[in-house]
Amino acid sequence: MKTIFFFLAFLFIVSTPLSYAHEQHNKDTSQISQSSKESQLLMEKEMFEHQQMEAVNAFPNYHPLIVHFPIVLLIIAALFQLLSFFFYKKEFSIVTLLLLFVGVVTAWLSSNPLHAMPGELYGKTKEIFETHEQMAAYTWWLSLIALILKSSSQFVLKRKLWVELAATLFLIASAITVSIAGHHGSMLVHMEGVGPLGKYLDGYKINVNPDVNQKEITDSIIEQKEIEPNNDDHHVGEPGKGPHSGTIQEAEPNHIEIVKNGRDLIFYLLDSNATPINMNTVSGEVEVDYLGNKKITIDLMMMDGKLTAMDADNGKDFNITCRLKKGKKIYTAQFNSKNDLLEK
């Protein structure tokens, strides 16, 4: 009877994370009028959001579906292991082994084939992600060692005290590291916005209807400022206020940020909200006017996700015209060394 009880308890624990799935609801666009250009753009925007919702429902990555299992299972396995020293020793020991096994498998799945790898991150977001990754790696190794020790104890060493104590220590350590990893993962999602709607996820693509020219819809919505006015200046022209601690200038409808790194100048293309975008498909050049001495054009080199003008700063004042190309669009911004450059 006790064995049946613990088996049912195990099934309940394993199934618990699945109860947190959420269903998205589509917006009704039937009330949008077709009689004007503005209403047409609004309808197209609704279609775009609907397609985004469908993409999110399909999950660009299955990491969110599996990552809660090791968090729950490893913590409960550590608790059951401690209880196995005092109550229902054999039964609790078996349940601990089962929980630990599933926890190790799902920890590996979360960190490897179902890992949600973001694109290039910066500043505090990057620090949070690196801590999350480090704790996840520790969790995998600690829980694996605990599983080896627990399996040896259960099937070979007949639950000798020393090996049970060793398994307990590694289990507790894995419970601590998975808790820290989970905490930093939630910070990435809820505080830094990494993941929702596919933001900052590497290789994320929205599945759209091939009959709809998505680029034209997006561009037309951006250009119709009277529909969704944006009064935020995004700290344009304020040194050190950019997302990479540089200076932002307008490059309608987007922005370009400049950062000084020694003698090199680094340029980033930002979206209309001055948010970093994936730089892998961006290229460009800069025209540097050394105020009457000479004017040169430098092709930007992609180095570690950064478009870099090598040795562009000669220590004197100069003006810069930056032209960045993404797809068929070219974005242009003007900078001045005296007003816009800060040493990184």
Side-chain angles (χ1 to χ4, degrees):
M1 186 67 183
K2 288 189 292 184
T3 302
I4 296 175
F5 168 76
F6 284 106
F7 179 71
L8 292 175
F10 171 72
L11 289 180
F12 173 77
I13 293 166
V14 171
S15 63
T16 298
L18 297 178
S19 64
Y20 295 99
H22 298 279
E23 180 181 355
Q24 300 289 351
H25 299 278
N26 297 329
K27 296 182 179 180
D28 181 11
T29 61
S30 60
Q31 301 300 319
I32 298 178
S33 172
Q34 305 295 320
S35 60
S36 68
K37 182 178 179 180
E38 179 176 325
S39 63
Q40 178 67 23
L41 288 171
L42 284 172
M43 184 189 72
E44 291 172 342
K45 183 184 177 183
E46 291 287 329
M47 292 173 61
F48 179 38
E49 292 175 348
H50 171 72
Q51 290 163 345
Q52 282 185 312
M53 202 65 71
E54 287 183 340
V56 173
N57 284 337
F59 281 104
N61 187 281
Y62 290 95
H63 184 77
L65 291 176
I66 199 71
V67 71
H68 298 92
F69 281 90
I71 296 174
V72 173
L73 297 177
L74 293 178
I75 293 175
I76 296 181
L79 175 62
F80 273 42
Q81 175 66 7
L82 290 173
L83 292 175
S84 71
F85 287 102
F86 307 101
F87 310 102
Y88 303 114
K89 297 181 179 181
K90 181 179 179 180
E91 291 82 359
F92 270 124
S93 183
I94 293 174
V95 173
T96 299
L97 183 60
L98 292 173
L99 291 172
L100 181 54
F101 174 75
V102 180
V104 169
V105 172
T106 52
W108 178 81
L109 290 173
S110 302
S111 302
N112 292 278
L114 301 183
H115 183 257
M117 191 64 191
E120 188 171 3
L121 302 176
Y122 308 95
K124 182 181 178 182
T125 306
K126 183 178 180 180
E127 293 178 5
I128 295 173
F129 175 73
E130 289 175 347
T131 301
H132 173 73
E133 290 289 276
Q134 186 180 47
M135 291 298 108
Y138 288 163
T139 298
W140 156 243
W141 286 110
L142 289 170
S143 61
L144 180 62
I145 294 171
L147 178 61
I148 294 172
L149 290 171
K150 186 63 180 176
S151 299
S152 301
S153 174
Q154 188 71 32
F155 300 113
V156 180
L157 301 176
K158 306 302 180 183
R159 299 192 71 246
K160 287 189 179 295
L161 181 60
W162 69 269
V163 72
E164 284 291 315
L165 290 173
T168 302
L169 291 176
F170 279 98
L171 251 177
I172 293 174
S174 68
I176 293 173
T177 55
V178 78
S179 299
I180 298 173
H183 175 67
H184 282 75
S186 66
M187 290 175 66
L188 287 172
V189 173
H190 299 292
M191 296 176 62
E192 305 300 325
V194 178
L197 293 177
K199 292 181 180 179
Y200 307 111
L201 292 185
D202 191 27
Y204 172 74
K205 293 182 180 179
I206 297 174
N207 297 320
V208 298
N209 190 329
D211 296 330
V212 178
N213 190 325
Q214 193 61 56
K215 184 175 182 300
E216 290 182 1
I217 292 176
T218 305
D219 292 344
S220 62
I221 293 171
I222 292 174
E223 291 169 1
Q224 295 298 312
K225 294 184 179 180
E226 68 274 10
I227 299 178
E228 291 188 15
N230 189 349
N231 298 320
D232 189 354
D233 63 4
H234 306 299
H235 301 290
V236 171
E238 298 182 37
K241 296 294 185 177
H244 308 92
S245 300
T247 305
I248 299 173
Q249 293 295 354
E250 298 281 357
E252 290 293 345
N254 287 20
H255 302 78
I256 295 177
E257 180 182 7
I258 186 173
V259 177
K260 180 181 177 183
N261 187 11
R263 290 174 54 88
D264 299 339
L265 300 179
I266 301 170
F267 297 87
Y268 299 93
L269 181 62
L270 313 177
D271 65 14
S272 58
N273 293 317
T275 301
I277 64 176
N278 193 321
M279 296 290 293
N280 290 337
T281 59
V282 181
S283 60
E285 64 178 18
V286 291
E287 186 178 276
V288 186
D289 182 1
Y290 293 100
L291 300 183
N293 294 329
K294 61 179 179 178
K295 183 184 293 186
I296 63 173
T297 300
I298 303 174
D299 291 326
L300 297 176
M301 298 177 59
M302 180 63 72
M303 302 176 63
D304 297 326
K306 308 169 186 177
L307 284 176
T308 305
M310 304 288 292
D311 295 324
D313 186 358
N314 65 356
K316 299 179 181 179
D317 292 342
F318 51 87
N319 293 325
I320 309 158
T321 300
C322 177
R323 288 182 286 270
L324 300 184
K325 183 177 181 182
K326 183 176 178 62
K328 294 183 179 180
K329 279 207 165 187
I330 296 178
Y331 304 89
T332 303
Q334 306 286 333
F335 299 93
N336 176 266
S337 61
K338 185 176 181 180
N339 299 325
D340 298 326
L341 294 186
L342 292 175
E343 189 71 41
K344 187 175 179 181

